[in-house]
Amino acid sequence: MGQVTWWRGGIIYQVYPRSLMDSNDDGVGDLQGIIAKLDYISSLNVDAIWISPFFRSPMKDFGYDISDYRDIDPMFGTMADFDELIAKAHGLNIKIIIDQVLSHTSDQHDWFEQSRQNRTNPKADWYVWADPKEDGSAPNNWLAIFGGCAWEWEPRRQQYFLHNFLKSQPDLNFHCDELRQAVLDNVEFWLKKGVDGFRLDAITFCYHDEQLRDNPAKPKDQRQGRGFSEDNPYAYQYHYYNNTRPQTVGFIEELRALINRYPGAVTLGEVSSEDSLATMAEYTQGDDRLHMAYSFELLTDDFSAAYIRQTVEELEASIGDGWPCWAIGNHDVQRVATRWGKGETNPDLVKMLNGMLFSLRGSICSYQGEELGLTEAPIEFDQLQDPFGITFWPMFKGRDGCRTPMPWTKDAEQAGFSTAAPWLPIPLAHAENAVDTQETDPKSILNSYRHFLAWRKQQPILISGDIHFVNTNESILAFERHFEEKKMLVLFNLSNQNTVFAVDTYQLNAELNEHGLLAGKQIGTVIELPPFGSYFANIE
């Protein structure tokens, strides 16, 4: 892929640094652990790594509460370690994308320590402050995703500050020009370090309504969210005023102007809004906004062919010249092998899910462990680390079950992740699926993942082609990919039953069965697809 457009159709492997590999035996993964596993990551045939936050932080939200944007938390190592990581990754032709959490900081950040002192200090307007109502209550009805009121009282200023997440994560005031410039300066610090791009966490939360208008109530039958459960009061409102404000587009354009000074650097926005697909399209239009965006729309419980088709088609219809990015798992949602497996532990299902994701039009984020088929880990209440889960237990058990350490060696202590007790437990079932056991099995999920991505690199039509869905029975996801003068038919059987796809209207000139998935085959005028089977063929 070209230097400037490497990201188009690229596969981005998400590393959750606490859980990839522990190099110093303190039970927590670190940068040297990532360095030690770069050869493994390279063997997966991915194009880039997105590393979740490793910046200095009190870790109230495990790094998404940053106290210094320009320093490495000692838990993860040093800046010298990061420089080594960049150098080795680039030597392996792997790009490095890092998280940027721009909408809020930790309450231990120096900016906030100054801002909270009084109303006249140089950082007084860098956060969202508001006077109480006449009765002393919060300025409006905004709620925090992690539970309760989104406002917290600060006695020194006699004002409330806004926090859309934890109360230890105060929101920055992007209406302040000085603050916005300081944020851009922090981004440029990492560009100068040689990073290849940024995954922009909670980018829809940068701006708030300056009039502080109340969010309207949401009817009970509309209370569904992405990234939070329906019993969370956050689902009871339309979030028109505390996020996804019109000014966000202007900031995105400022950010893109900076990024464009570093050819090849890329922006990937995390979008969560009342209409995430429309926001993805808006934020990626033209050449002066985000390079790409992804949402929670495929991080749901529903993985019917109809739902996946509808989701992709809605985005395709609105995105214009924008570029999508798709994910079916990350560090915030239940593991896809459990969420979409519905109790099934069939390796063919997991292979098919990875292949399906890699066959969609767009770039792809693939979360560490998906190449092993890891399931959601059972976490008891006394083992929980996630404040989100602790607050909403037992209806919502938090995000720890998808964040447990990677199993490297089946029979080693702590599955080869560490010799110390890890920060989250490693289930026995995960050790059974460790890398070393899958390495030697040519039919393993791991080797299927590698095989498919190696094959995909030889298929420009899957990397760059358009996508057009095909009507068929409800268990099959069927589409064509078109690129230049070539066409490919792609089928996935999402069910655990044999099924058939009629091809009497097609002239197929070559079945493509070298992709490492369970393959269907043409028998007369139908394609026979085994349970969780796939089919690829060139069309005349």
Side-chain angles (χ1 to χ4, degrees), residues 142-434:
W142 296 352
L143 296 171
I145 290 181
F146 289 174
C149 177
W151 297 95
E152 185 71 13
W153 182 248
E154 172 49 68
R156 280 163 283 202
R157 290 182 57 133
Q158 294 289 291
Q159 284 183 308
Y160 286 94
F161 67 83
L162 177 67
H163 62 92
N164 277 295
F165 298 92
L166 295 174
K167 66 180 181 181
S168 57
Q169 293 171 296
D171 273 61
L172 290 164
N173 178 21
F174 274 71
H175 294 285
C176 171
D177 294 342
E178 286 184 358
L179 174 278
R180 247 183 4 264
Q181 187 57 54
V183 167
L184 292 172
D185 290 345
N186 284 338
V187 170
E188 188 164 25
F189 172 85
W190 292 102
L191 287 166
K192 290 176 177 176
K193 296 291 290 183
V195 303
D196 302 289
F198 304 96
R199 182 263 188 183
L200 302 168
D201 182 72
I203 191 64
T204 52
F205 286 87
C206 288
Y207 281 87
H208 67 287
D209 175 45
E210 287 187 291
Q211 299 177 49
L212 302 181
R213 286 171 284 189
D214 280 348
N215 282 325
K218 183 177 284 188
K220 190 172 183 179
D221 63 350
Q222 299 294 312
R223 291 176 188 169
Q224 48 190 323
R226 301 286 186 257
F228 51 90
S229 57
E230 295 171 21
D231 63 332
N232 184 339
Y234 194 81
Y236 289 35
Q237 295 180 354
Y238 289 105
H239 294 278
Y240 295 149
Y241 296 119
N242 64 315
N243 64 52
T244 324
R245 302 299 298 153
Q247 298 95 331
T248 307
V249 169
F251 172 69
I252 285 172
E253 291 173 349
E254 288 183 77
L255 177 63
R256 179 63 183 264
L258 167 61
I259 298 290
N260 284 349
R261 289 161 38 200
Y262 294 82
V266 67
T267 50
L268 167 61
E270 178 200 34
V271 168
S272 176
S273 69
E274 294 296 341
D275 188 345
S276 292
L277 295 175
T279 305
M280 284 173 68
E282 180 185 20
Y283 285 11
T284 58
Q285 281 175 3
D287 292 328
D288 59 352
R289 298 182 183 176
L290 299 180
H291 295 82
M292 50 186 169
Y294 85 92
S295 72
F296 283 69
E297 297 305 307
L298 291 184
L299 303 177
T300 58
D301 291 339
D302 189 349
F303 91 112
S304 63
Y307 178 75
I308 295 171
R309 175 178 179 171
Q310 175 191 349
T311 300
V312 175
E313 283 187 328
E314 279 187 24
L315 182 64
E316 289 288 334
S318 60
I319 202 166
D321 57 359
W323 187 255
C325 184
W326 297 107
I328 58 175
N330 69 13
H331 63 290
D332 282 332
V333 296
Q334 190 180 53
R335 284 274 184 191
V336 68
T338 297
R339 197 174 74 248
W340 284 0
K342 314 289 187 193
E344 289 262 6
T345 54
N346 189 327
D348 290 326
L349 166 66
V350 179
K351 294 176 188 178
M352 183 271 294
L353 292 179
N354 285 327
M356 183 274 293
L357 176 65
F358 298 150
S359 299
L360 295 175
R361 175 182 179 265
S363 302
I364 303 299
C365 286
S366 180
Y367 181 45
Q368 68 182 41
E370 286 176 7
E371 77 275 21
L372 303 178
L374 295 186
T375 52
E376 185 78 355
I379 306 292
E380 299 301 325
F381 182 75
D382 63 354
Q383 298 172 317
L384 276 186
Q385 304 288 327
D386 182 13
F388 201 1
I390 293 168
T391 299
F392 286 96
W393 181 277
M395 301 303 290
F396 174 65
K397 297 182 179 180
R399 302 163 294 177
D400 290 332
C402 67
R403 298 177 173 184
T404 54
M406 280 279 284
W408 295 101
T409 309
K410 176 182 174 181
D411 295 324
E413 189 174 3
Q414 307 300 348
F417 167 75
S418 176
T419 60
W423 75 285
L424 283 172
I426 302 172
L428 180 61
H430 285 196
E432 294 290 328
N433 284 314

Side-chain angles (χ1 to χ4, degrees), residues 6-39:
W6 65 266
W7 49 274
R8 281 187 171 263
I11 306 295
I12 302 165
Y13 182 80
Q14 183 192 353
V15 168
Y16 195 69
R18 297 178 71 91
S19 295
L20 189 76
M21 182 66 193
D22 174 17
S23 72
N24 61 353
D25 295 321
D26 63 357
V28 178
D30 43 51
L31 294 181
Q32 281 294 334
I34 299 174
I35 292 168
K37 295 302 181 183
L38 279 175
D39 289 325

Side-chain angles (χ1 to χ4, degrees), residues 435-446:
V435 171
D436 72 327
T437 67
Q438 296 202 34
E439 290 273 16
T440 56
D441 178 1
K443 295 185 177 180
S444 68
I445 296 169
L446 172 59

Side-chain angles (χ1 to χ4, degrees), residues 13 15 20 37-46 49 94:
Y13 182 80
V15 168
L20 189 76
K37 295 302 181 183
L38 279 175
D39 289 325
Y40 165 80
I41 293 171
S42 177
S43 80
L44 300 176
N45 299 307
V46 300
I49 303 172
I94 295 172

